[in-house]
Amino acid sequence: MSYEFLLWIALILLSTKLLGLMCKAINLPEVVGALLAGIILGPSALNLVSVNGETGSFLTYAAELGVIFLMFSAGLDTDLKELQANIGASFVTALIGVIVPLLGGTLCYGLFFHENFGDYDELLKSIFIGVVLTATSVSITVETLREMGKLSGKVGTTILGAAIIDDILGMIVLAIVSSMKDTTVRPSIVLVKILLYAVLIMILFVLCGRMEFVIEKADHKRRVAIFAIAFCFILAYVSEEAFGIADITGAYFAGVMLCRSKIKDYVDIKIHDVSTVFFSCIFFASVGLKVTLGGMGVRIWGFALLLALVAILSKLVGCGLGAKLCKFTWKESIQTGVGMISRGEVALIVAEKGRQCGLIDEDMFAPVILVVIVTTLVTPILLKVAFKERGNKPVEAEV
Amino acid sequence: MSYEFLLWIALILLSTKLLGLMCKAINLPEVVGALLAGIILGPSALNLVSVNGETGSFLTYAAELGVIFLMFSAGLDTDLKELQANIGASFVTALIGVIVPLLGGTLCYGLFFHENFGDYDELLKSIFIGVVLTATSVSITVETLREMGKLSGKVGTTILGAAIIDDILGMIVLAIVSSMKDTTVRPSIVLVKILLYAVLIMILFVLCGRMEFVIEKADHKRRVAIFAIAFCFILAYVSEEAFGIADITGAYFAGVMLCRSKIKDYVDIKIHDVSTVFFSCIFFASVGLKVTLGGMGVRIWGFALLLALVAILSKLVGCGLGAKLCKFTWKESIQTGVGMISRGEVALIVAEKGRQCGLIDEDMFAPVILVVIVTTLVTPILLKVAFKERGNKPVEAEV
């Protein structure tokens, strides 16, 4: 065993908190500080901490637990009535929020590298860049809204619902586009899996409502928290392994299933403690730690910056439009659009799948990474601006 | 990334808690259940979870964090006056508790394999088996005493103090015996390192007392908890890497340094939450997961059982005698002796070092592992018996 990991974790805990405090002092969300801490500790700057090797692999797993806890906690915080009231808005937001970036990414690639536009393979490549831009990652948004105490409100609930639907629509689009190039990908199987998953979630949701009497009998709350976490992990595992649906989506559903329970508040506090004191720091830092830019030519830099701009505008416009169509106010529509901007590891995973079936060239990876960084850093800042109330400061939750 | 680890953690959390509850129902300490859970999940029985491979390596690291949190928390719970009052008793207990097992192990090996006893190399091997038996591992004792609410009492404090001194005495003995075979090991350097370490700990202890005003200024407790954990991790890392002293000893000292602080209770609760809900379950299970017996011949089995008996009796008698010499009552002396019985990963590490310099044969590993299992399982059970008060049940802390 290499004891280095103790030092690495200490560095991550200290730097995420210190930079978080500094960001708070200049009125930025703390999560921006945590992201910057990762970039500073990682290969882009000091190179003190790495996500490679055995110790790095520990950090990667711990970070995954961090984002699972984050989404589980967001599920527990769900206001079910709010979710039901806004499920339509979530769907429309997600749908238009997938279509606009898909078109935006396709056009962006097609127009920038227009010399080959007529070619079928090049067309598929253009479309695939669009597919990469469809994947929203709301973990940063969740943390920012929680900091501001806005997570379980109308906009927060709509964003979370839209993110889940976005994840599923993204999978469908990915399967369809991949199947145009790779004949082993069968969109019909993906659709069947999604339907089966929906059935499973419904059944579990009903069962969890009926199981409340078991929880009432339990005399010991801490034990209940452990069982709740185990349930969340199992559902996350099953989602990913059996249905190909993101583990964090499973964790969110696990939270929603338990959000009606009487022990919800207790479990939430315990998980928030485990998560805030430890895992979420590692998760946010690890996002920054994965950043390795460099070796990009001028033309690719130009494309990368354009793509980042398209990524921001297409989600903002697409999701904002969706919300507006569902009779949100302009302010709420902008808040919803902003909350959906950030792309995370999902964009990288989609890009990796594209590489495997030859739909993305090697030199497109750096632009995709830049999109992830820019959208991730921009989202919490824009969210804070979008939620700013005239005259009085927004209420801040304890973080 | 393999998502298997989510399932493994869920299995560990569920089984440690369920078996813990079952043990409690038959009046055994819960930690026995957690240890059994590991044995059942591991290669000895169901073989569902493994400490090998990438996922297994995550469990190994998480388990190490578990025992670090455990010792840090034990440090935080320290009653300084009690520690000062019993430091002499701790020292005598540790000293005699090192000498008796050293002699016991040497004689046990020497008499059992007496055909080669005249040989110098065989004599060294005999002595090395004694060295393996000196290493106490009190994490199981700490958890059991905590369950019974006896951790910061006279006996608990003496055991913790003795365990630290035992660790240091064990290092000295290991260095001396190794140097008889391996000329690259220099006992003088080990002694100098220990002295320097003692100076460092003293300085930090004084500094931490003076730093209290900084903590008083801090407006935010959760942040303080994160800084305290980072401090603990750094000290654990420095202990191990710079001084060759166990990381958990460093973690314990970090706890002792902060035990006078006003925020101590808050930090302790937060750490206990992180630890109990997650890391300590993984640690206790991982002890059982490492058990892989099998392939032992009848003679080695005989030796292994004899060695386990010697391991139990030598610590019980040695440490008990030490405590009795320091005017503990008979009951307190037995409690102290019982608390020092368990050997943990330290015994395995010492055995591994012995293998590296040719002082332990391959076929001695299985007996050492058996000693670890038997002493680990026996300690919490004997502790519960030793602390039983006539007539009324002992007070149990919430776990």
Side-chain angles (χ1 to χ4, degrees):
Chain A
M1 167 176 288
S2 154
Y3 291 91
E4 216 174 16
F5 79 114
L6 293 172
L7 189 65
W8 289 10
I9 295 173
L11 284 174
I12 289 173
L13 294 180
L14 288 176
S15 61
T16 51
K17 272 298 137 178
L18 285 176
L19 281 161
L21 285 177
M22 283 161 68
C23 281
K24 201 178 177 186
I26 54 172
N27 219 17
L28 282 177
E30 290 191 43
V31 65
V32 175
L35 295 168
L36 290 174
I39 295 178
I40 292 171
L41 289 177
S44 309
L46 300 179
N47 208 10
L48 288 171
V49 176
S50 156
V51 288
N52 301 318
E54 198 183 70
T55 313
S57 143
F58 172 76
L59 291 184
T60 308
Y61 281 93
E64 191 67 23
L65 291 179
V67 64
I68 286 175
F69 278 127
L70 196 71
M71 294 303 285
F72 184 43
S73 180
L76 284 173
D77 284 343
T78 304
D79 180 335
L80 267 189
K81 280 184 190 151
E82 195 79 58
L83 184 67
Q84 281 165 337
N86 293 298
I87 193 77
S90 287
F91 187 79
V92 177
T93 301
L95 188 64
I96 308 186
V98 160
I99 293 170
V100 178
L102 184 61
L103 291 176
T106 307
L107 284 175
C108 179
Y109 185 93
L111 293 177
F112 204 89
F113 301 101
H114 56 90
E115 56 265 43
N116 310 314
F117 203 50
D119 190 50
Y120 177 71
D121 269 6
E122 280 302 308
L123 179 65
L124 278 187
K125 281 184 186 173
S126 305
I127 295 174
F128 206 86
I129 291 292
V131 175
V132 171
L133 290 197
T134 61
T136 290
S137 164
V138 288
S139 48
I140 310 292
T141 300
V142 166
E143 184 64 17
T144 313
L145 290 178
R146 193 203 299 285
E147 269 185 48
M148 300 193 295
K150 303 280 186 193
L151 188 56
S152 53
K154 183 181 177 185
V155 171
T157 310
T158 306
I159 290 174
L160 271 164
I164 301 300
I165 299 164
D166 177 286
D167 186 35
I168 290 164
L169 292 177
M171 274 180 55
I172 298 172
V173 173
L174 175 64
I176 293 171
V177 176
S178 304
S179 70
M180 293 179 187
K181 176 87 182 181
D182 178 355
T183 48
T184 64
V185 178
R186 304 265 297 273
S188 55
I189 292 178
V190 173
L191 283 172
V192 169
K193 275 190 176 177
I194 289 171
L195 282 176
L196 286 176
Y197 187 70
V199 172
L200 173 74
I201 295 296
M202 301 279 195
I203 292 172
L204 285 176
F205 187 78
V206 173
L207 280 182
C208 279
R210 298 262 166 99
M211 293 284 279
E212 190 62 13
F213 70 95
V214 180
I215 293 170
E216 271 173 43
K217 267 195 180 170
D219 57 332
H220 208 307
K221 284 178 173 175
R222 190 173 285 154
R223 218 163 272 149
V224 172
I226 290 179
F227 290 137
I229 291 176
F231 173 65
C232 160
F233 283 9
I234 292 173
L235 196 55
Y237 170 78
V238 170
S239 302
E240 185 77 50
E241 292 286 314
F243 297 95
I245 289 183
D247 53 349
I248 55 174
T249 301
Y252 174 75
F253 279 133
V256 174
M257 285 168 200
L258 298 177
C259 79
R260 298 161 293 178
S261 164
K262 279 180 189 163
I263 48 114
K264 176 217 128 178
D265 286 331
Y266 179 82
V267 173
D268 203 12
I269 289 171
K270 284 281 164 260
I271 284 160
H272 202 213
D273 277 352
V274 176
S275 171
T276 325
V277 172
F278 196 84
F279 289 108
S280 72
C281 297
I282 294 182
F283 167 65
F284 292 120
S286 81
V287 174
L289 282 173
K290 284 182 197 144
V291 173
T292 37
L293 288 172
M296 284 203 286
V298 176
R299 192 169 185 211
I300 297 292
W301 261 108
F303 175 69
L305 292 174
L306 182 67
L307 192 67
L309 193 69
V310 171
I312 293 171
L313 290 178
S314 61
K315 275 286 176 193
L316 180 58
V317 170
C319 297
L321 194 67
K324 189 71 195 125
L325 284 177
C326 298
K327 299 191 178 140
F328 279 42
T329 66
W330 276 113
K331 183 163 187 170
E332 287 165 347
S333 302
I334 292 170
Q335 290 168 344
T336 308
V338 167
M340 299 287 286
I341 287 176
S342 78
R343 318 295 204 280
E345 58 293 346
V346 190
L348 298 175
I349 294 167
V350 172
E352 180 58 37
K353 290 201 174 142
R355 170 153 66 180
Q356 282 161 16
C357 58
L359 281 171
I360 274 203
D361 295 333
E362 202 65 46
D363 56 358
M364 280 300 111
F365 264 77
V368 170
I369 292 172
L370 194 87
V371 165
V372 172
I373 302 168
V374 171
T375 55
T376 303
L377 283 174
V378 144
T379 302
I381 298 169
L382 290 183
L383 267 179
K384 194 132 187 180
V385 174
F387 272 93
K388 200 162 194 171
E389 281 158 42
R390 255 177 237 161
N392 55 343
K393 273 186 73 177
V395 188
E396 296 201 11
E398 199 211 23
V399 173
Chain B
M1 165 174 287
S2 153
Y3 290 91
E4 216 174 16
F5 79 115
L6 293 172
L7 190 65
W8 288 10
I9 295 172
L11 285 174
I12 289 173
L13 294 181
L14 288 175
S15 62
T16 52
K17 273 298 137 179
L18 285 176
L19 281 162
L21 285 177
M22 283 162 68
C23 280
K24 201 178 178 185
I26 54 171
N27 217 18
L28 283 177
E30 287 191 46
V31 65
V32 175
L35 295 168
L36 289 174
I39 295 177
I40 292 171
L41 289 177
S44 309
L46 299 178
N47 208 9
L48 287 171
V49 177
S50 156
V51 287
N52 300 318
E54 197 182 72
T55 312
S57 143
F58 172 75
L59 291 183
T60 308
Y61 280 93
E64 191 67 22
L65 291 180
V67 64
I68 285 174
F69 278 127
L70 197 69
M71 294 302 286
F72 184 42
S73 179
L76 284 173
D77 284 343
T78 303
D79 181 337
L80 267 190
K81 281 185 191 152
E82 195 79 59
L83 184 68
Q84 280 164 339
N86 293 299
I87 192 79
S90 287
F91 187 78
V92 177
T93 301
L95 188 65
I96 309 187
V98 161
I99 294 170
V100 178
L102 184 61
L103 292 176
T106 307
L107 284 174
C108 180
Y109 185 92
L111 294 176
F112 204 90
F113 300 103
H114 57 89
E115 56 266 43
N116 309 315
F117 203 48
D119 190 49
Y120 177 72
D121 270 6
E122 281 300 310
L123 179 66
L124 279 187
K125 280 185 185 172
S126 304
I127 296 174
F128 206 86
I129 291 293
V131 175
V132 171
L133 290 198
T134 62
T136 291
S137 165
V138 289
S139 49
I140 309 293
T141 300
V142 165
E143 184 65 16
T144 313
L145 291 178
R146 192 202 300 285
E147 269 186 46
M148 300 193 293
K150 304 280 185 192
L151 188 56
S152 53
K154 182 181 177 185
V155 171
T157 310
T158 306
I159 290 174
L160 271 164
I164 301 301
I165 299 166
D166 177 286
D167 186 33
I168 290 165
L169 291 178
M171 272 180 57
I172 298 173
V173 173
L174 176 64
I176 293 171
V177 176
S178 303
S179 69
M180 293 180 186
K181 177 88 182 179
D182 179 354
T183 49
T184 63
V185 177
R186 303 264 299 273
S188 55
I189 291 178
V190 172
L191 283 172
V192 169
K193 276 190 175 176
I194 289 171
L195 282 176
L196 286 176
Y197 187 69
V199 172
L200 174 75
I201 295 297
M202 300 279 194
I203 292 173
L204 285 176
F205 188 77
V206 174
L207 279 181
C208 279
R210 298 263 165 97
M211 293 284 278
E212 190 61 12
F213 70 95
V214 180
I215 293 170
E216 270 172 41
K217 265 194 179 171
D219 58 329
H220 207 306
K221 285 178 173 174
R222 191 174 284 154
R223 221 163 271 150
V224 172
I226 290 179
F227 290 136
I229 292 176
F231 173 64
C232 161
F233 283 8
I234 291 174
L235 196 55
Y237 171 76
V238 170
S239 302
E240 186 76 49
E241 293 286 315
F243 297 95
I245 289 183
D247 53 348
I248 56 174
T249 301
Y252 174 74
F253 279 132
V256 173
M257 286 169 200
L258 298 177
C259 79
R260 300 161 293 177
S261 164
K262 279 181 188 162
I263 48 112
K264 176 217 126 179
D265 286 334
Y266 180 82
V267 173
D268 203 13
I269 289 170
K270 284 281 165 259
I271 285 161
H272 202 214
D273 278 352
V274 176
S275 170
T276 324
V277 171
F278 197 84
F279 289 107
S280 72
C281 298
I282 295 183
F283 168 65
F284 293 121
S286 81
V287 175
L289 282 174
K290 285 182 196 143
V291 174
T292 37
L293 289 172
M296 286 203 285
V298 176
R299 193 167 184 213
I300 297 292
W301 260 107
F303 175 69
L305 292 174
L306 183 66
L307 193 68
L309 194 67
V310 170
I312 293 171
L313 290 179
S314 61
K315 275 286 176 194
L316 181 57
V317 170
C319 296
L321 194 67
K324 190 71 195 121
L325 285 178
C326 298
K327 303 197 174 131
F328 278 43
T329 66
W330 277 113
K331 183 162 189 173
E332 287 165 348
S333 302
I334 292 171
Q335 289 168 345
T336 308
V338 167
M340 299 287 287
I341 287 177
S342 78
R343 317 297 204 283
E345 59 293 347
V346 190
L348 298 175
I349 293 167
V350 172
E352 180 58 37
K353 289 200 176 145
R355 170 153 67 181
Q356 281 162 17
C357 57
L359 281 171
I360 274 203
D361 295 333
E362 202 64 46
D363 56 358
M364 280 299 112
F365 264 78
V368 171
I369 292 171
L370 194 86
V371 165
V372 171
I373 303 168
V374 171
T375 56
T376 303
L377 282 174
V378 144
T379 302
I381 298 169
L382 290 183
L383 267 179
K384 194 134 188 176
V385 174
F387 272 93
K388 200 162 194 173
E389 282 158 43
R390 254 176 235 160
N392 56 342
K393 273 187 75 178
V395 187
E396 296 202 13
E398 197 210 26
V399 173

